[in-house]
Amino acid sequence: MVTITERQLSTTVLVIGTGGAGLRAAIELAESGVDVLAVGKRPKEDAHTALAAGGINAALATMDPEDSWQQHAADTLKESYLLADPRTVEIVTQGAARGIDDLERFGMAFAREADGRISQRFFGAHTFRRTAFAGDYTGLEIQRTLIRRADQLSIPVLDGVYITRLLTDDGAVFGAYGFDLTHGTRYLIHADAVILAAGGHTRIWRRTSSRRDENTGDSFRLAVEAGARLRDPELVQFHPSGILEPENAAGTLVSEAARGEGGVLRNALGERFMTRYDPERMELSTRDRVALAAYTEIKEGRGTPHGGVWLDVSHLSRQTIMERLPRVYQTLLDLQMLDITRDPIEIAPTAHYSMGGVWVRPEDHSTDVRGLYAIGEASSGLHGANRLGGNSLIELLVFGRLTGQAAAAYSRGLAAQTRSATAVADARAEIDDLLASDGPENVRALQRAIRDTMTEHAGVVRDEKGLLAGLAELAAIEERMREVGVHPDIAGFQDLAHAFDLKSAALAARATLEAALERRETRGCHNRSDHPELDPALRVNMVWSPTTGITRESIPAVPDEIAPLMREVSTVGKLAE
């Protein structure tokens, strides 16, 4: 038997996840002189943040002087279908300008007007132009900027380390346990506080804009097993346009810019079907409405050969496509050898963003576990039942800073450092047991089974019969998970990582199905065909844990200074989101 070594590390604050949220928190800690370690299972240069294209929101009023943080808050709350937490929304919108200032201080190159002002453009459902950007690669530029600043501060970053368990004792976190994906080296990391920034759970659907082996629900499982809860896991944003082929890239996004520039949606019969669903806005309608329209066309038998619809930009001039849609053009050429200047793109709705997540307090994103914080797509509270485009990136900046400060303060207030030999032994044993398992079940096949179940029963449209069927299928999958075989090989320990991904996916799927069953209404992204109306009595958050199931949590009233500003936003000529 090969002996696996174990490295023991110690830091004041451990950050799990090296995307925008994790790096911003680590930077705040390092700039404050606090010892910090950031750990990620994939290279930091390839974090999910880098995929965000459109822009980042802040009421800077550089283009529209009448804009304000209050109007930004009102737009966010309205678009959330009143499920967002008003205090969380206030904190983000008030802190947004500071977030942009921080990025500028770190050296980010925003698009600018001729006189030097930061350019801002419209995103759907925003009253004013408040989306700052860098070409169509804003997220990538933010990630590069944060990596550069982390390097300047000499922040230690461990790439390729998979965290399997948070270490807790008597309701407080004291670190984490994991292993190196290449060599299998174990890591025992002691920390006073832990910031969880490991993304959402959209990979548990068959088509998703996430890459393989990311957003598998890691944050959800780590937090819940440590004693935290989840809020609104059923609220998942489905993007209308994910590609279908090749299978290993299914769900990869075709930017909404394709519709914004004049792309047309047609079914297999050649009908421009948006005339049935939103005849005024047509392809410029909201994400949830376009996704529902495409889903309905496919479900009713008017779908394309691979089960999608057509998005056609071939009527646009080649120059327009090359200047305004260069990434879309290159992506389809690379993946399908498809020339979008001549041929339509086959697309279908794709799981895009987890709007629910770990339950956190709005002020500092602390959880039910002392010393544990969650930020970014791992957390909840800002988006409710529909996310405003551009809000997710500013959320990373605002709460990365605030949570870094909170974790540092928590550490300073500790009278002693918690340790538990039992918790560490349990974490070691969990890995040992999986490595010793040699059952007949294939981990990858079970992951696919969960994705098939979620796609069939908890996709764009849900109903009670389907959700109950999904729970029954999931129970059978969970039983089969007892018989998995795990086989590390010469290429590394990815198979062991897949086994933990499977655990995370199963937990996230159960939470999603149970919460979707409880939300007997249609609201924003959550479509219940058996409950097609919005129910005012369900203006509540669904809070889930494996021990208590679903509890309904009331949402504070919208502040008086915000409520009058919540009005319909004109979408004439704008792509709505």
Side-chain angles (χ1 to χ4, degrees):
M1 181 177 175
V2 178
T3 302
I4 299 296
T5 58
E6 181 180 271
R7 290 188 62 191
Q8 295 195 13
L9 304 174
S10 183
T11 187
T12 302
V13 180
L14 170 64
V15 177
I16 301 172
T18 53
L23 289 179
R24 180 62 188 90
I27 289 166
E28 187 67 22
L29 288 155
E31 288 186 340
S32 303
V34 177
D35 194 26
V36 59
L37 170 65
V39 176
K41 69 178 183 180
R42 64 187 306 128
K44 59 183 178 294
E45 294 83 5
D46 191 33
H48 192 62
T49 302
L51 296 184
I56 179 169
N57 297 337
L60 303 177
T62 59
M63 310 297 287
D64 296 313
E66 60 269 51
D67 199 9
S68 65
W69 73 261
Q70 291 94 336
Q71 187 62 61
H72 185 187
D75 292 348
T76 300
L77 284 162
K78 185 176 188 308
E79 194 68 8
S80 80
Y81 289 78
L82 296 178
L83 293 190
D85 175 78
R87 184 70 188 118
T88 301
V89 173
E90 281 188 317
I91 290 169
V92 169
T93 53
Q94 280 185 292
R98 168 70 185 272
I100 300 295
D101 288 345
D102 287 339
L103 285 177
E104 285 194 279
R105 177 166 62 88
F106 302 154
M108 176 151 168
F110 284 103
R112 294 182 182 272
E113 297 296 296
D115 60 4
R117 289 173 294 152
I118 289 179
S119 296
Q120 293 193 283
R121 59 188 175 196
F122 274 121
F123 253 28
H126 290 272
T127 303
F128 299 109
R129 290 172 288 180
R130 66 168 68 101
T131 303
F133 58 96
D136 63 351
Y137 51 89
T138 308
L140 178 61
E141 187 59 31
I142 288 173
Q143 185 71 8
R144 287 170 173 167
T145 300
L146 295 176
I147 289 172
R148 192 164 58 242
R149 181 60 180 149
D151 288 343
Q152 291 170 356
L153 294 166
S154 300
I155 295 172
V157 178
L158 285 178
D159 284 336
V161 171
Y162 193 108
I163 297 298
T164 60
R165 181 176 288 210
L166 298 179
L167 302 173
T168 61
D169 181 55
D170 193 28
V173 71
F174 68 89
Y177 199 80
F179 65 93
D180 181 277
L181 284 163
T182 302
H183 306 293
T185 303
R186 307 283 180 87
Y187 279 86
L188 168 58
I189 307 171
H190 289 115
D192 291 349
V194 174
I195 297 175
L196 192 55
H201 70 316
T202 52
R203 189 69 213 176
I204 69 173
W205 281 268
R206 194 161 55 227
R207 283 191 292 266
T208 169
S209 57
S210 300
R211 281 82 57 95
R212 287 166 69 88
D213 307 323
E214 77 177 5
N215 285 331
T216 49
D218 305 31
S219 298
F220 292 13
R221 179 181 62 83
L222 290 170
V224 166
E225 290 183 353
R229 296 170 294 160
L230 303 181
R231 176 165 50 198
D232 295 337
E234 80 282 10
L235 300 181
V236 177
Q237 186 172 62
F238 284 83
H239 196 289
S241 49
I243 65 171
L244 279 71
E245 298 287 327
E247 187 178 351
N248 65 356
T252 299
L253 286 191
V254 175
S255 169
E256 282 181 312
R259 287 188 286 120
E261 293 297 333
V264 171
L265 290 167
R266 300 188 191 279
N267 61 23
L269 305 177
E271 298 170 331
R272 192 173 176 184
F273 59 82
M274 284 308 297
T275 56
R276 285 196 279 273
Y277 304 94
D278 193 343
E280 289 187 15
R281 292 183 292 191
M282 297 291 283
E283 284 83 10
L284 298 182
S285 187
T286 57
R287 272 183 188 169
D288 54 350
R289 188 168 291 193
V290 176
L292 179 58
Y295 171 88
T296 303
E297 292 296 307
I298 297 163
K299 199 75 171 175
E300 293 182 356
R302 297 184 292 277
T304 53
H306 292 107
V309 295
W310 298 116
L311 171 59
D312 193 3
V313 296
S314 63
H315 56 284
L316 303 178
S317 72
R318 185 177 182 86
Q319 181 180 354
T320 297
I321 289 172
M322 293 307 187
E323 289 180 356
R324 308 300 290 268
L325 303 171
R327 293 182 76 182
V328 176
Y329 177 84
Q330 194 61 49
T331 297
L332 270 298
L333 204 60
D334 291 345
L335 292 175
Q336 298 181 1
M337 285 301 291
L338 180 76
D339 182 352
I340 65 171
T341 67
R342 295 166 48 185
D343 299 305
I345 310 162
E346 198 173 10
I347 61 164
T350 181
H352 180 51
Y353 192 90
S354 303
M355 291 180 290
V358 178
W359 182 94
V360 291
R361 297 176 181 88
E363 290 76 18
D364 59 4
H365 274 215
S366 58
T367 69
D368 301 299
V369 182
R370 297 195 307 282
L372 176 64
Y373 304 81
I375 53 177
E377 199 172 352
S379 67
S380 61
L382 177 63
H383 307 295
N386 199 38
R387 177 177 68 94
L388 265 181
N391 268 0
S392 52
L393 288 178
I394 196 60
E395 179 186 18
L396 312 182
L397 275 298
V398 173
F399 276 114
R401 177 173 63 86
L402 294 177
T403 302
Q405 294 171 358
Y410 172 82
S411 172
R412 287 193 298 270
L414 289 177
Q417 291 177 312
T418 299
R419 297 287 186 269
S420 167
T422 301
V424 174
D426 289 345
R428 289 179 180 136
E430 185 178 32
I431 295 179
D432 290 339
D433 290 347
L434 275 173
L435 287 173
S437 62
D438 193 26
E441 294 287 355
N442 181 276
V443 170
R444 280 304 214 191
L446 292 176
Q447 285 181 315
R448 174 178 283 272
I450 289 177
R451 291 199 294 270
D452 286 345
T453 291
M454 295 303 290
T455 300
E456 181 65 26
H457 302 300
V460 176
V461 178
R462 298 103 180 247
D463 61 31
E464 182 168 348
K465 181 182 177 183
L467 292 167
L468 290 173
L471 284 165
E473 289 179 15
L474 180 61
I477 293 168
E478 289 168 335
E479 192 62 32
R480 292 170 61 192
M481 285 167 58
R482 300 172 183 271
E483 301 294 329
V484 296
V486 176
H487 308 287
D489 59 23
I490 194 169
F493 283 72
Q494 285 290 346
D495 203 41
L496 179 60
H498 297 331
F500 279 102
D501 283 346
L502 176 61
K503 285 187 173 193
S504 298
L507 181 142
R510 178 161 292 281
T512 302
L513 288 164
E514 291 182 0
L517 190 60
E518 182 73 11
R519 188 173 290 286
R520 295 176 178 87
E521 65 166 349
T522 291
R523 187 187 292 258
C525 66
H526 180 70
N527 295 287
R528 282 285 297 263
S529 59
D530 51 345
H531 295 280
E533 302 300 325
L534 184 147
D535 182 354
L538 286 175
R539 190 200 162 221
V540 295
N541 295 131
M542 301 295 177
V543 180
W544 180 91
S545 84
T547 53
T548 60
I550 300 288
T551 57
R552 298 182 180 189
E553 186 174 76
S554 61
I555 300 170
V558 176
D560 291 341
E561 66 176 320
I562 305 298
L565 300 174
M566 293 172 60
R567 52 182 179 259
E568 288 297 328
V569 177
S570 171
T571 56
V572 176
K574 293 188 291 183
L575 183 69
E577 267 185 35

